[in-house]
PDB file of all heavy atoms in Angstrom:
ATOM      1  N   PHE A  95     -84.359 118.483 204.136  1.00  0.00           N
ATOM      2  CA  PHE A  95     -83.017 118.381 203.761  1.00  0.00           C
ATOM      3  C   PHE A  95     -82.667 116.892 203.301  1.00  0.00           C
ATOM      4  O   PHE A  95     -83.553 116.026 203.531  1.00  0.00           O
ATOM      5  CB  PHE A  95     -81.950 118.735 204.922  1.00  0.00           C
ATOM      6  CG  PHE A  95     -82.415 118.004 206.216  1.00  0.00           C
ATOM      7  CD1 PHE A  95     -82.074 116.734 206.487  1.00  0.00           C
ATOM      8  CD2 PHE A  95     -83.151 118.757 207.157  1.00  0.00           C
ATOM      9  CE1 PHE A  95     -82.403 116.076 207.652  1.00  0.00           C
ATOM     10  CE2 PHE A  95     -83.499 118.092 208.427  1.00  0.00           C
ATOM     11  CZ  PHE A  95     -83.167 116.695 208.632  1.00  0.00           C
ATOM     12  N   THR A  96     -81.528 116.794 202.614  1.00  0.00           N
ATOM     13  CA  THR A  96     -81.154 115.350 202.333  1.00  0.00           C
ATOM     14  C   THR A  96     -79.974 115.109 203.365  1.00  0.00           C
ATOM     15  O   THR A  96     -79.331 116.055 203.837  1.00  0.00           O
ATOM     16  CB  THR A  96     -80.487 115.294 200.901  1.00  0.00           C
ATOM     17  OG1 THR A  96     -79.478 116.129 200.755  1.00  0.00           O
ATOM     18  CG2 THR A  96     -81.536 115.522 199.893  1.00  0.00           C
ATOM     19  N   LEU A  97     -79.816 113.955 203.600  1.00  0.00           N
ATOM     20  CA  LEU A  97     -78.661 113.373 204.453  1.00  0.00           C
ATOM     21  C   LEU A  97     -77.645 112.863 203.561  1.00  0.00           C
ATOM     22  O   LEU A  97     -77.932 111.895 202.774  1.00  0.00           O
ATOM     23  CB  LEU A  97     -79.187 112.373 205.422  1.00  0.00           C
ATOM     24  CG  LEU A  97     -79.951 112.751 206.661  1.00  0.00           C
ATOM     25  CD1 LEU A  97     -80.380 111.554 207.462  1.00  0.00           C
ATOM     26  CD2 LEU A  97     -79.205 113.776 207.555  1.00  0.00           C
ATOM     27  N   ALA A  98     -76.385 113.311 203.752  1.00  0.00           N
ATOM     28  CA  ALA A  98     -75.255 112.782 203.084  1.00  0.00           C
ATOM     29  C   ALA A  98     -74.629 111.739 204.024  1.00  0.00           C
ATOM     30  O   ALA A  98     -74.068 112.112 205.123  1.00  0.00           O
ATOM     31  CB  ALA A  98     -74.268 113.798 202.612  1.00  0.00           C
ATOM     32  N   ILE A  99     -74.695 110.416 203.669  1.00  0.00           N
ATOM     33  CA  ILE A  99     -74.218 109.351 204.527  1.00  0.00           C
ATOM     34  C   ILE A  99     -73.852 108.180 203.545  1.00  0.00           C
ATOM     35  O   ILE A  99     -74.579 107.958 202.602  1.00  0.00           O
ATOM     36  CB  ILE A  99     -75.140 109.037 205.599  1.00  0.00           C
ATOM     37  CG1 ILE A  99     -74.432 108.066 206.625  1.00  0.00           C
ATOM     38  CG2 ILE A  99     -76.415 108.480 205.093  1.00  0.00           C
ATOM     39  CD1 ILE A  99     -75.290 107.847 207.889  1.00  0.00           C
ATOM     40  N   PHE A 100     -72.729 107.507 203.871  1.00  0.00           N
ATOM     41  CA  PHE A 100     -72.381 106.421 203.048  1.00  0.00           C
ATOM     42  C   PHE A 100     -73.458 105.288 203.049  1.00  0.00           C
ATOM     43  O   PHE A 100     -74.000 104.948 204.129  1.00  0.00           O
ATOM     44  CB  PHE A 100     -71.060 105.785 203.494  1.00  0.00           C
ATOM     45  CG  PHE A 100     -69.874 106.547 203.314  1.00  0.00           C
ATOM     46  CD1 PHE A 100     -69.102 107.073 204.445  1.00  0.00           C
ATOM     47  CD2 PHE A 100     -69.432 106.869 202.065  1.00  0.00           C
ATOM     48  CE1 PHE A 100     -68.015 107.830 204.236  1.00  0.00           C
ATOM     49  CE2 PHE A 100     -68.282 107.614 201.837  1.00  0.00           C
ATOM     50  CZ  PHE A 100     -67.588 108.072 202.911  1.00  0.00           C
ATOM     51  N   GLN A 101     -73.728 104.690 201.898  1.00  0.00           N
ATOM     52  CA  GLN A 101     -74.768 103.632 201.748  1.00  0.00           C
ATOM     53  C   GLN A 101     -74.201 102.472 202.660  1.00  0.00           C
ATOM     54  O   GLN A 101     -75.080 101.782 203.200  1.00  0.00           O
ATOM     55  CB  GLN A 101     -74.745 103.138 200.308  1.00  0.00           C
ATOM     56  CG  GLN A 101     -75.706 101.891 200.108  1.00  0.00           C
ATOM     57  CD  GLN A 101     -75.840 101.425 198.680  1.00  0.00           C
ATOM     58  OE1 GLN A 101     -75.765 102.336 197.766  1.00  0.00           O
ATOM     59  NE2 GLN A 101     -75.937 100.216 198.522  1.00  0.00           N
ATOM     60  N   ALA A 102     -72.998 102.283 202.786  1.00  0.00           N
ATOM     61  CA  ALA A 102     -72.485 101.134 203.571  1.00  0.00           C
ATOM     62  C   ALA A 102     -72.925 101.342 205.040  1.00  0.00           C
ATOM     63  O   ALA A 102     -73.310 100.380 205.722  1.00  0.00           O
ATOM     64  CB  ALA A 102     -71.033 101.001 203.537  1.00  0.00           C
ATOM     65  N   ARG A 103     -72.872 102.567 205.541  1.00  0.00           N
ATOM     66  CA  ARG A 103     -73.311 102.895 206.914  1.00  0.00           C
ATOM     67  C   ARG A 103     -74.812 102.739 207.015  1.00  0.00           C
ATOM     68  O   ARG A 103     -75.317 102.159 207.988  1.00  0.00           O
ATOM     69  CB  ARG A 103     -72.851 104.223 207.289  1.00  0.00           C
ATOM     70  CG  ARG A 103     -73.174 104.594 208.730  1.00  0.00           C
ATOM     71  CD  ARG A 103     -72.680 103.623 209.686  1.00  0.00           C
ATOM     72  NE  ARG A 103     -72.874 103.945 211.104  1.00  0.00           N
ATOM     73  CZ  ARG A 103     -72.950 103.095 212.129  1.00  0.00           C
ATOM     74  NH1 ARG A 103     -72.760 101.847 211.863  1.00  0.00           N
ATOM     75  NH2 ARG A 103     -73.290 103.492 213.331  1.00  0.00           N
ATOM     76  N   THR A 104     -75.600 103.207 206.011  1.00  0.00           N
ATOM     77  CA  THR A 104     -77.007 103.004 206.105  1.00  0.00           C
ATOM     78  C   THR A 104     -77.372 101.602 206.110  1.00  0.00           C
ATOM     79  O   THR A 104     -78.245 101.156 206.881  1.00  0.00           O
ATOM     80  CB  THR A 104     -77.646 103.653 204.842  1.00  0.00           C
ATOM     81  OG1 THR A 104     -77.270 105.075 204.817  1.00  0.00           O
ATOM     82  CG2 THR A 104     -79.124 103.525 204.748  1.00  0.00           C
ATOM     83  N   THR A 105     -76.759 100.735 205.244  1.00  0.00           N
ATOM     84  CA  THR A 105     -77.035  99.333 205.173  1.00  0.00           C
ATOM     85  C   THR A 105     -76.732  98.635 206.575  1.00  0.00           C
ATOM     86  O   THR A 105     -77.430  97.861 207.110  1.00  0.00           O
ATOM     87  CB  THR A 105     -76.103  98.635 204.120  1.00  0.00           C
ATOM     88  OG1 THR A 105     -76.450  99.214 202.911  1.00  0.00           O
ATOM     89  CG2 THR A 105     -76.376  97.129 204.041  1.00  0.00           C
ATOM     90  N   ALA A 106     -75.620  99.063 207.230  1.00  0.00           N
ATOM     91  CA  ALA A 106     -75.263  98.516 208.473  1.00  0.00           C
ATOM     92  C   ALA A 106     -76.175  98.772 209.582  1.00  0.00           C
ATOM     93  O   ALA A 106     -76.566  97.959 210.332  1.00  0.00           O
ATOM     94  CB  ALA A 106     -73.897  99.039 208.894  1.00  0.00           C
ATOM     95  N   LEU A 107     -76.669 100.030 209.522  1.00  0.00           N
ATOM     96  CA  LEU A 107     -77.736 100.404 210.591  1.00  0.00           C
ATOM     97  C   LEU A 107     -79.006  99.638 210.315  1.00  0.00           C
ATOM     98  O   LEU A 107     -79.697  99.192 211.342  1.00  0.00           O
ATOM     99  CB  LEU A 107     -77.908 101.941 210.604  1.00  0.00           C
ATOM    100  CG  LEU A 107     -76.808 102.790 211.083  1.00  0.00           C
ATOM    101  CD1 LEU A 107     -77.081 104.333 210.777  1.00  0.00           C
ATOM    102  CD2 LEU A 107     -76.542 102.527 212.511  1.00  0.00           C
ATOM    103  N   LEU A 108     -79.393  99.519 209.151  1.00  0.00           N
ATOM    104  CA  LEU A 108     -80.655  98.786 208.792  1.00  0.00           C
ATOM    105  C   LEU A 108     -80.460  97.275 209.105  1.00  0.00           C
ATOM    106  O   LEU A 108     -81.427  96.535 209.540  1.00  0.00           O
ATOM    107  CB  LEU A 108     -81.148  98.993 207.420  1.00  0.00           C
ATOM    108  CG  LEU A 108     -81.474 100.402 206.967  1.00  0.00           C
ATOM    109  CD1 LEU A 108     -81.988 100.538 205.635  1.00  0.00           C
ATOM    110  CD2 LEU A 108     -82.522 101.045 207.981  1.00  0.00           C
ATOM    111  N   GLN A 109     -79.252  96.700 208.825  1.00  0.00           N
ATOM    112  CA  GLN A 109     -79.069  95.360 209.206  1.00  0.00           C
ATOM    113  C   GLN A 109     -79.129  95.060 210.659  1.00  0.00           C
ATOM    114  O   GLN A 109     -79.692  94.118 211.104  1.00  0.00           O
ATOM    115  CB  GLN A 109     -77.682  94.929 208.630  1.00  0.00           C
ATOM    116  CG  GLN A 109     -77.300  93.477 208.951  1.00  0.00           C
ATOM    117  CD  GLN A 109     -76.038  93.101 208.287  1.00  0.00           C
ATOM    118  OE1 GLN A 109     -75.998  92.730 207.150  1.00  0.00           O
ATOM    119  NE2 GLN A 109     -74.903  93.149 209.030  1.00  0.00           N
ATOM    120  N   GLN A 110     -78.547  96.053 211.443  1.00  0.00           N
ATOM    121  CA  GLN A 110     -78.582  95.924 212.928  1.00  0.00           C
ATOM    122  C   GLN A 110     -80.050  95.919 213.339  1.00  0.00           C
ATOM    123  O   GLN A 110     -80.389  95.115 214.235  1.00  0.00           O
ATOM    124  CB  GLN A 110     -77.819  97.040 213.482  1.00  0.00           C
ATOM    125  CG  GLN A 110     -77.918  97.044 214.976  1.00  0.00           C
ATOM    126  CD  GLN A 110     -77.113  98.324 215.586  1.00  0.00           C
ATOM    127  OE1 GLN A 110     -76.383  98.974 214.967  1.00  0.00           O
ATOM    128  NE2 GLN A 110     -77.369  98.542 216.861  1.00  0.00           N
ATOM    129  N   ARG A 111     -80.866  96.751 212.769  1.00  0.00           N
ATOM    130  CA  ARG A 111     -82.278  96.831 213.250  1.00  0.00           C
ATOM    131  C   ARG A 111     -82.939  95.495 212.774  1.00  0.00           C
ATOM    132  O   ARG A 111     -83.751  95.033 213.568  1.00  0.00           O
ATOM    133  CB  ARG A 111     -82.964  97.964 212.523  1.00  0.00           C
ATOM    134  CG  ARG A 111     -84.458  98.040 212.782  1.00  0.00           C
ATOM    135  CD  ARG A 111     -85.119  99.253 212.150  1.00  0.00           C
ATOM    136  NE  ARG A 111     -86.554  99.245 212.163  1.00  0.00           N
ATOM    137  CZ  ARG A 111     -87.357  99.657 213.155  1.00  0.00           C
ATOM    138  NH1 ARG A 111     -86.699 100.049 214.289  1.00  0.00           N
ATOM    139  NH2 ARG A 111     -88.554  99.509 213.125  1.00  0.00           N
ATOM    140  N   ALA A 112     -82.718  94.974 211.659  1.00  0.00           N
ATOM    141  CA  ALA A 112     -83.442  93.808 211.127  1.00  0.00           C
ATOM    142  C   ALA A 112     -83.057  92.630 212.117  1.00  0.00           C
ATOM    143  O   ALA A 112     -83.998  91.853 212.460  1.00  0.00           O
ATOM    144  CB  ALA A 112     -82.987  93.533 209.680  1.00  0.00           C
ATOM    145  N   ILE A 113     -81.757  92.467 212.477  1.00  0.00           N
ATOM    146  CA  ILE A 113     -81.343  91.401 213.348  1.00  0.00           C
ATOM    147  C   ILE A 113     -81.993  91.577 214.667  1.00  0.00           C
ATOM    148  O   ILE A 113     -82.450  90.626 215.291  1.00  0.00           O
ATOM    149  CB  ILE A 113     -79.791  91.399 213.422  1.00  0.00           C
ATOM    150  CG1 ILE A 113     -79.215  90.900 212.150  1.00  0.00           C
ATOM    151  CG2 ILE A 113     -79.296  90.495 214.650  1.00  0.00           C
ATOM    152  CD1 ILE A 113     -77.670  91.050 212.011  1.00  0.00           C
TER     153      ILE A 113
END
Side-chain angles (χ1 to χ4, degrees):
F95 47 80
T96 60
L97 284 179
I99 187 169
F100 289 117
Q101 178 178 327
R103 182 56 179 157
T104 300
T105 302
L107 290 172
L108 297 185
Q109 176 175 281
Q110 178 183 342
R111 174 179 170 85
I113 292 172

